[in-house]
Amino acid sequence: MQALPKRYTVTAALPYANGPVHIGHLAGVYLPADIYVRYLRAQGRDVKFICGSDEHGVPITIRAQKEGITPQQVVDKYHAIIRDSFHDFGVSFDIYSRTSNETHHKTASDFFRKLYEAGQFTEQVSQQYYDEQADQFLADRYIVGTCPTCANENAYGDQCEKCGSSLSPTELINPRSMLSGNKPVLRETKHWYLPLDQYEPWLREWIIEGHKQDWKTNVYGQCKSWIDQGLHPRAVTRDLDWGVPVPVAGADGKVLYVWFDAPIGYISATKDLLPDDAWKPYWQDPETKLLHFIGKDNIVFHCIIFPAMLKAHGEFILPDNVPANEFLNLEGDKISTSRNWAVWLHEYLQDFPGKADVLRYVLCANAPETKDNDFTWKDYQARNNNELLATLGNFVNRAVVLTHKFFEGRVPEAGPLDELDEDVLRQLAEFPQRIADLIEQYRFRDALAEVLNLARLGNKYLADTEPWKLIKTDPTRVSSILHVSLQLTAALATLLEPFLPESAGKLATMLRTERVAWGEAGRATLLPEGHQLGEAFLLFEKVEDATVEAQVQKLLDTKKANQLAAAVAAPAKDNVSFDEFGRMDLRVGTILAAEKVAKTKKLLKLTVDTGLDQRTIVSGIAEHFIPEALIGQQVLVLLNLAPREIKGIESQGMLLLAENADGSLQLMQPGQPVRPGSFVA
């Protein structure tokens, strides 16, 4: 049997302090990391759980410029929002630090200088766009221009967000600086590069050969693909004034590239957590197990680039595992911060106060561990009502309520146990190790399912024994049944804690017991005979249809707003002469009658008072308007359109309407009532 590590260092990807965090972040990174750490603590292991805000990089400077504030003000705002969201969802970091603080700047500078002085970097001079008016080099995101693929005039220097093409700044047509609007010029600039190509043989041996069996297939596969394609030197510095200054001579106006300084934030955060040199064993002792919890977009950085940095430095241990998850989608669409297509954690708690554990449960039960998964509000409702409420909550409530009803809330005597009782207790004894094995394999979804299976075992036991019926004829038997049932509830208080810490705490309060060590949770004597229980209360509440319908509507409103915001006016038609326009007879009319045209979906037959006559107009607007609601409405009418027969009806004119980006139609109407037949001038 393999010896346990002496200690654990568990990191969770540093969230970017450019906006709040959403359910995709929680499901992909922070929830599985928290479950794992809480489990280790329950096992009595020495573990430090490290995270913090990633606060450097171009997107932060762009946001600061748009909002007219400093980059520090941007990161201060979002660091607080992110930190509080994690706290409110029970993510139990030992420290939540930040990369803009002094400790991190010094740690990252020292790390760079050690590699620099050891000759671990190469220097390269390249051509980069420069804004002469702003007097600075431009990062890719500060350059916009016309996409060579789709002709989008607002493509960025690294990507066109309209067609998705990856770009380099020099590929843009008519590039312009976001700082001044001027056309930038190319100038030479020097940067330092980490020669990843030199580490390729070592990475191939360490990952491809060394972690074939123990790393998740999605992680291993992405790493192998990158290495097989060949690695190339990667710049570790860039021209920018926001970040960790490059600590060497001749590097004025340059900072460490954010991808280089951010993972060093794990080390600097540990330094902030532990005094003096107490941090070192967690990063430098080979008996420490280092684990990175990340999303799949960070696999390359944490499995290839950061390990190469650590290897080059020479004083740090390497990650034992990087159990990355895939992505979580939302209602069938990719989560997008720019489109506001997300469920933001801080907003969720405003709409669902006290229900952090419900979301933790749903996200873990539907975790994107091996493939992308989809979060829907209907699934949220179903899992809450059918699993948390009807299975877990129902078992606990029945066991405690019946104990209060029949035994004044005291744990009754075990009495003689029959074969069924013994079987249930044998099964109980197996659950802690079964769940532990799954957690150790980073199969958190399956581990949570086993916790729920323990509640199902309890429900079936009560349903099979029916103590509410036996109480009149065999109270001794009921005493044994409820004694066994309460041992299951006490086990749940411990085994549930990594997944639903708030609910586990409520259960422990209800039972008036302390959670035991993980290995003790299968004991049949967790609650002694005569132990006084607290009052019963519901752990979970039903989620009503109206509640989830409101959340779905909120997303639909977001989608509609995005469509309207993204709408681009159609190109102008060819010019017409004033005389040609003057031939059009545009007047105000009043609709006198409206009815659907038989055997059609789109057509309405309208009778319109034009001030000159009453005429029939057939219009394809039946899917947008209720006929009765149109009667009495004043509209703009093109009178001298040549008559046309439509479905056997002669149409004598055309209504003027406007079409929204979502395809809905609006009548063009005068601002106030006017006489029918009035000219539109």
Side-chain angles (χ1 to χ4, degrees):
M1 184 176 178
Q2 188 174 4
L4 289 175
K6 191 171 183 178
R7 67 186 68 79
Y8 295 76
T9 301
V10 178
T11 73
L14 305 185
Y16 200 53
N18 193 36
V21 282
H22 53 63
I23 58 171
H25 298 124
L26 191 61
V29 178
Y30 307 100
L31 180 54
D34 187 60
I35 292 169
Y36 187 75
V37 167
R38 286 177 177 274
Y39 157 77
L40 291 178
R41 291 175 183 145
Q43 288 275 27
R45 315 272 178 86
D46 178 356
V47 56
K48 294 293 180 281
F49 189 14
I50 308 298
C51 194
S53 294
D54 180 0
E55 299 183 333
H56 296 138
V58 171
I60 285 169
T61 62
I62 292 176
R63 180 177 284 272
Q65 183 185 33
K66 287 180 178 178
E67 296 184 9
I69 57 178
T70 66
Q72 189 65 53
Q73 288 173 310
V74 170
V75 299
D76 286 348
K77 172 184 175 181
Y78 289 111
H79 170 76
I81 292 174
I82 295 168
R83 178 199 62 209
D84 292 347
S85 293
F86 286 144
H87 174 270
D88 292 343
F89 274 90
V91 181
S92 58
F93 300 124
D94 287 294
I95 186 170
Y96 187 76
S97 189
R98 53 194 312 187
T99 62
S100 65
N101 71 18
E102 183 179 349
T103 302
H104 176 71
H105 274 235
K106 184 177 187 311
T107 303
S109 294
D110 291 347
F111 196 108
F112 177 91
R113 179 169 285 281
K114 168 115 191 234
L115 269 61
Y116 175 82
E117 292 175 349
Q120 297 286 353
F121 295 131
T122 59
E123 295 180 9
Q124 294 185 28
V125 175
S126 61
Q127 296 277 320
Q128 187 173 327
Y129 274 125
Y130 187 87
D131 186 323
E132 293 180 306
Q133 181 176 329
D135 192 25
Q136 71 176 69
F137 283 98
L138 298 172
D140 295 350
R141 281 267 156 170
Y142 272 112
I143 308 164
V144 292
T146 301
C147 173
T149 303
C150 72
N152 170 30
E153 295 182 354
N154 294 301
Y156 290 110
D158 59 350
Q159 184 181 33
C160 174
E161 294 194 344
K162 185 174 182 181
C163 69
S165 297
S166 294
L167 301 170
S168 65
T170 54
E171 292 179 282
L172 292 176
I173 302 168
N174 299 322
R176 61 189 187 277
S177 167
M178 287 182 61
L179 298 179
S180 66
N182 296 336
K183 182 177 180 178
V185 298
L186 287 170
R187 284 193 183 180
E188 286 188 347
T189 183
K190 180 177 72 172
H191 285 292
W192 288 267
Y193 287 72
L194 181 67
L196 286 176
D197 51 322
Q198 296 179 18
Y199 293 89
E200 188 174 315
W202 169 74
L203 286 165
R204 185 174 294 279
E205 179 182 355
W206 179 61
I207 298 176
I208 306 304
E209 300 301 326
H211 288 293
K212 184 182 297 185
Q213 303 299 326
D214 60 330
W215 281 13
K216 293 172 69 172
T217 55
N218 59 323
V219 176
Y220 180 84
Q222 191 176 136
C223 291
K224 187 175 186 304
S225 176
W226 260 70
I227 294 171
D228 286 347
Q229 290 175 27
L231 301 179
H232 306 281
R234 194 177 183 98
V236 301
T237 62
R238 72 185 320 182
D239 295 291
L240 198 64
D241 58 1
W242 174 248
V244 179
V246 176
V248 297
D252 294 342
K254 299 182 191 295
V255 298
L256 301 184
Y257 216 147
V258 67
W259 69 259
F260 182 86
D261 93 82
I264 299 172
Y266 300 135
I267 302 170
S268 63
T270 313
K271 288 184 177 181
D272 276 334
L273 173 65
L274 300 169
D276 301 324
D277 289 340
W279 65 273
K280 287 186 175 181
Y282 292 90
W283 281 98
Q284 297 181 347
D285 187 342
E287 292 188 86
T288 296
K289 184 173 183 176
L290 174 62
L291 295 146
H292 298 310
F293 282 84
I294 57 170
K296 71 175 178 181
D297 53 336
N298 268 322
I299 288 174
V300 169
F301 291 103
H302 287 75
C303 296
I304 293 178
I305 298 174
F306 189 40
M309 292 165 54
L310 297 174
K311 179 74 170 175
H313 190 284
E315 296 179 8
F316 294 97
I317 58 174
L318 298 173
D320 181 85
N321 212 316
V322 187
N325 272 1
E326 299 293 289
F327 287 152
L328 184 74
N329 297 322
L330 173 60
E331 296 286 353
D333 195 2
K334 183 179 179 181
I335 291 176
S336 169
T337 57
S338 62
R339 293 187 290 117
N340 195 30
W341 188 256
V343 176
W344 305 102
L345 298 190
H346 66 294
E347 290 185 0
Y348 170 87
L349 288 176
Q350 293 169 7
D351 295 341
F352 296 89
K355 290 185 170 55
D357 271 4
V358 177
L359 188 58
R360 283 178 66 115
Y361 177 82
V362 173
L363 294 181
C364 184
N366 192 36
E369 291 182 348
T370 56
K371 62 181 180 63
D372 291 357
N373 271 359
D374 193 35
F375 175 92
T376 70
W377 281 108
K378 279 296 183 184
D379 181 65
Y380 171 94
Q381 179 188 28
R383 289 187 183 276
N384 178 86
N385 294 351
N386 301 334
E387 297 171 11
L388 287 180
L389 181 61
T391 301
L392 177 58
N394 181 60
F395 168 62
V396 169
N397 190 64
R398 285 203 293 179
V400 177
V401 166
L402 290 175
T403 301
H404 275 285
K405 184 175 181 180
F406 301 147
F407 299 98
E408 299 180 334
R410 295 187 181 278
V411 177
E413 294 182 6
L417 301 179
D418 65 13
E419 186 176 341
L420 176 59
D421 305 331
E422 297 285 2
D423 181 60
V424 167
L425 293 176
R426 274 196 301 271
Q427 291 186 61
L428 168 62
E430 296 171 357
F431 272 94
Q433 189 59 51
R434 188 185 309 156
I435 297 168
D437 289 343
L438 293 168
I439 292 176
E440 296 277 9
Q441 298 170 48
Y442 315 108
R443 293 168 57 187
F444 306 108
R445 189 172 58 199
D446 292 341
L448 178 58
E450 287 298 330
V451 176
L452 205 68
N453 283 339
L454 178 55
R456 289 192 176 97
L457 173 66
N459 273 322
K460 185 177 186 305
Y461 176 62
L462 287 177
D464 290 345
T465 56
E466 297 182 314
W468 48 88
K469 291 182 179 179
L470 282 176
I471 190 64
K472 293 181 180 179
T473 59
D474 195 350
T476 301
R477 176 72 187 126
V478 172
S479 176
S480 298
I481 293 168
L482 291 182
H483 182 94
V484 170
S485 298
L486 289 172
Q487 303 310 321
L488 269 61
T489 65
L492 282 168
T494 292
L495 302 179
L496 189 64
E497 196 274 342
F499 307 93
L500 310 183
E502 186 176 349
S503 301
K506 289 179 179 179
L507 177 53
T509 298
M510 192 188 312
L511 299 177
R512 289 185 178 171
T513 186
E514 297 292 329
R515 288 189 293 274
V516 298
W518 189 273
E520 298 293 304
R523 281 196 295 110
T525 55
L526 294 176
L527 293 177
E529 296 175 358
H531 174 77
Q532 179 66 55
L533 305 180
E535 291 300 317
F537 55 84
L538 295 177
L539 290 177
F540 307 101
E541 299 174 341
K542 185 178 181 181
V543 174
E544 302 292 346
D545 290 345
T547 301
V548 297
E549 287 167 2
Q551 293 298 321
V552 171
Q553 187 60 50
K554 185 177 179 180
L555 289 171
L556 293 176
D557 291 344
T558 294
K559 183 170 286 189
K560 185 175 182 180
N562 288 336
Q563 290 170 342
L564 292 172
V568 178
K573 296 181 180 179
D574 293 339
N575 291 340
V576 297
S577 68
F578 186 81
D579 289 341
E580 287 176 306
F581 175 76
R583 291 173 56 195
M584 300 175 66
D585 191 350
L586 294 170
R587 306 214 186 190
V588 175
T590 301
I591 298 175
L592 303 177
E595 60 180 285
K596 289 187 176 181
V597 176
K599 298 182 180 180
T600 70
K601 290 178 60 178
K602 297 182 178 181
L603 299 180
L604 288 183
K605 176 185 175 184
L606 307 170
T607 302
V608 182
D609 178 4
T610 68
L612 302 176
D613 54 23
Q614 293 183 12
R615 62 177 63 189
T616 299
I617 295 177
V618 178
S619 183
I621 60 174
E623 294 179 310
H624 300 271
F625 300 97
I626 299 171
E628 293 78 10
L630 291 172
I631 297 173
Q633 298 273 8
Q634 288 204 306
V635 291
L636 306 189
V637 184
L638 177 60
L639 287 187
N640 61 340
L641 184 67
R644 179 185 177 194
E645 185 174 301
I646 303 175
K647 292 296 182 180
I649 305 169
E650 185 178 65
S651 181
Q652 301 169 308
M654 177 184 289
L655 302 190
L656 271 62
L657 300 103
E659 183 177 11
N660 291 316
D662 61 1
S664 62
L665 300 178
Q666 299 291 328
L667 295 171
M668 302 300 293
Q669 300 177 292
Q672 297 178 348
V674 298
R675 176 180 56 81
S678 297
F679 283 104
V680 178

